[in-house]
Amino acid sequence: MEEERTLCTCCGEPLLTDYYSTVYDNPICDSCANNECSRCECCGDLIYDSDVYASDYDRCLCESCFNEFYAHCDSCDDLIHRDDLHEYDDCYYCSRCYYEKTHVIRNYSYKPLPVFYGEGKRFLGVELEIDKGGRDSDNAQEILDIANDSKEQRLYIKTDSSLDDGMELVTHPMTINYHLHEFKWEDILKTAVNMGYRSHQTSTCGLHVHVNRDAFGDDEDEQEEVISRILYFVEHHWLEMVKFSRRTESALNRWAARHGYEPSPSEVMSKAKSDYGRYYAVNLCNHNTIEFRLFRGTLKLNTLLAALQLVDIICETAMNLDDEELQALSWSEFVSRITYPELIQYLKERQLYINEITNEEEEI
């Protein structure tokens, strides 16, 4: 009588040898073991491919090892060995997310992918330095809680070695309307003042505004043509820009120097391209943005909004006028077109608004 052979529990074919693999203590042929199964990288047991846990994370784990040794990060959902999880505020995080949760003030080199807020093509990103109130994580978190929520991260905070005892507030790119009407600048600035921070009333703080280059045209040639007119405007109206900036000439020479006046936008651009470095009034070193670096820092709401409005209008003017029209534009003609109430108020305070003077409130 022919000896009855053991059958493969996967394909049902007889096993040709007494040495075979098993899945869940069930025999399986070599072909099915190679084509239908994988080994758990934790315990080494053979399991059906259909039963592999965490395959979406490029891991091969059986159910038992998955449940005993692994868990998901509560922030990014990555699969992490339980020995590598960090507990914080009743949640469990991978090392990267734990660092982000517990290090509220980022390193100076921190640069996340930009998130754009508002409808339009031109976006302004703000870097506002504040000092004298401490490089304090609790303070930073309170400011972040005002600016951000669980779904939207509009602001982050970084260290800056140029500050004595402060930090740098950095927004993601926003349209001018989003800055004016959606972002909680008033609450942020009031909170910072109440914490003891100052910006204008220091020798360390600046207010920098980035503008995306692709707002100026569809290709590099179009963009550079507009940027050349922005540079020309700043050089042509340098005395007014200095007065607007609230900085001294010596401070500008150190942190936001001029490229120098030339009789045409293209000549100013040529000169700017030969000047290497970012410490210029309009910094061209960034690949995706140009940066207005002139302004002294401030925690006064009207002043901050006025600076953003001035940048926006300079960009708009450079886009709408050709070279000859811009060269013929006087400062009084330029400001006569302004409709922003905050900017008009600030121009009056700085005696830059068509010879009209008003009382100036204290800067902070």
Side-chain angles (χ1 to χ4, degrees):
M1 183 177 178
E2 185 176 352
E3 182 181 355
E4 184 177 351
R5 288 189 174 275
T6 303
L7 301 180
C8 171
T9 55
C10 182
C11 66
E13 294 295 322
L15 300 177
L16 302 179
T17 175
D18 292 335
Y19 300 99
Y20 49 81
S21 301
T22 60
V23 178
Y24 313 133
D25 295 327
N26 296 316
I28 189 170
C29 68
D30 289 343
S31 176
C32 290
N34 292 330
N35 297 319
E36 304 291 337
C37 300
S38 300
R39 289 200 178 275
C40 171
E41 62 186 65
C42 186
C43 67
D45 285 354
L46 200 65
I47 53 177
Y48 290 118
D49 288 340
S50 58
D51 293 338
V52 170
Y53 272 64
S55 58
D56 290 344
Y57 297 89
D58 296 323
R59 308 299 299 270
C60 180
L61 299 169
C62 66
E63 180 179 9
S64 176
C65 290
F66 176 86
N67 291 331
E68 184 174 356
F69 298 112
Y70 287 83
H72 293 285
C73 170
D74 286 328
S75 180
C76 69
D77 202 42
D78 278 358
L79 187 67
I80 308 296
H81 196 282
R82 291 184 183 274
D83 289 345
D84 297 325
L85 284 173
H86 304 270
E87 185 178 4
Y88 176 73
D89 200 19
D90 295 327
C91 293
Y92 291 90
Y93 299 103
C94 65
S95 295
R96 176 175 57 83
C97 292
Y98 176 75
Y99 181 90
E100 291 183 355
K101 293 290 183 181
T102 56
H103 289 72
V104 176
I105 303 176
R106 313 289 188 169
N107 291 329
Y108 180 75
S109 60
Y110 177 75
K111 192 173 183 180
L113 290 174
V115 181
F116 295 85
Y117 292 95
E119 299 295 327
K121 293 183 177 180
R122 187 160 62 244
F123 294 86
L124 312 182
V126 173
E127 298 169 351
L128 174 61
E129 296 165 344
I130 60 176
D131 211 344
K132 308 301 182 187
R135 192 173 297 171
D136 185 276
S137 294
D138 289 338
N139 289 350
Q141 188 62 62
E142 187 172 343
I143 291 172
L144 290 172
D145 288 342
I146 295 170
N148 303 330
D149 54 43
S150 59
K151 295 181 180 179
E152 303 289 352
Q153 301 298 304
R154 304 173 186 88
L155 180 79
Y156 54 97
I157 297 177
K158 305 197 302 182
T159 60
D160 192 318
S161 60
S162 68
L163 304 176
D164 293 330
D165 195 23
M167 49 199 179
E168 183 178 26
L169 313 184
V170 186
T171 73
H172 282 274
M174 303 171 183
T175 62
I176 186 65
N177 283 333
Y178 198 96
H179 276 292
L180 297 179
H181 305 300
E182 301 292 333
F183 192 58
K184 297 180 180 179
W185 274 121
E186 183 173 9
D187 294 338
I188 291 169
L189 300 185
K190 284 183 177 179
T191 299
V193 171
N194 291 336
M195 290 174 175
Y197 290 98
R198 296 296 181 264
S199 192
H200 176 90
Q201 294 175 5
T202 72
S203 60
T204 55
C205 293
L207 166 62
H208 305 155
V209 183
H210 288 260
V211 185
N212 54 311
R213 287 175 178 262
D214 58 12
F216 302 134
D218 295 329
D219 56 46
E220 186 175 349
D221 289 339
E222 289 182 12
Q223 294 166 17
E224 291 218 344
E225 187 176 339
V226 174
I227 294 169
S228 73
R229 289 196 283 270
I230 292 172
L231 293 172
Y232 179 86
F233 181 94
V234 171
E235 295 294 342
H236 186 61
H237 300 292
W238 182 252
L239 293 179
E240 290 85 358
M241 297 300 293
V242 171
K243 201 168 186 179
F244 190 102
S245 75
R246 293 167 288 111
R247 287 188 183 273
T248 63
E249 283 277 7
S250 61
L252 284 169
N253 288 335
R254 180 180 181 186
W255 302 110
R258 65 185 305 185
H259 292 290
Y261 177 75
E262 295 293 337
S264 71
S266 60
E267 290 173 283
V268 177
M269 174 62 88
S270 295
K271 193 168 186 178
K273 284 184 174 181
S274 68
D275 293 330
Y276 180 77
R278 63 190 181 97
Y279 294 110
Y280 286 94
V282 182
N283 166 30
L284 304 182
C285 289
N286 300 301
H287 180 70
N288 295 316
T289 67
I290 64 170
E291 179 189 19
F292 289 77
R293 293 181 54 89
L294 296 96
F295 312 116
R296 189 168 179 167
T298 184
L299 289 173
K300 181 180 172 183
L301 178 63
N302 194 87
T303 300
L304 174 65
L305 298 183
L308 298 181
Q309 291 164 351
L310 179 70
V311 168
D312 186 67
I313 293 175
I314 290 174
C315 293
E316 187 72 17
T317 301
M319 293 182 68
N320 291 335
L321 301 185
D322 61 27
D323 286 6
E324 291 74 19
E325 291 170 330
L326 188 73
Q327 288 171 281
L329 183 68
S330 68
W331 180 263
S332 60
E333 290 172 325
F334 170 71
V335 299
S336 69
R337 304 178 181 188
I338 294 171
T339 58
Y340 287 122
E342 295 88 356
L343 181 52
I344 291 173
Q345 173 66 26
Y346 182 79
L347 291 169
K348 290 178 179 179
E349 291 177 359
R350 303 300 296 168
Q351 301 181 27
L352 289 168
Y353 189 73
I354 320 176
N355 297 323
E356 188 170 342
I357 301 173
T358 189
N359 292 328
E360 181 180 358
E361 296 180 4
E362 183 183 20
E363 285 287 350
I364 309 174

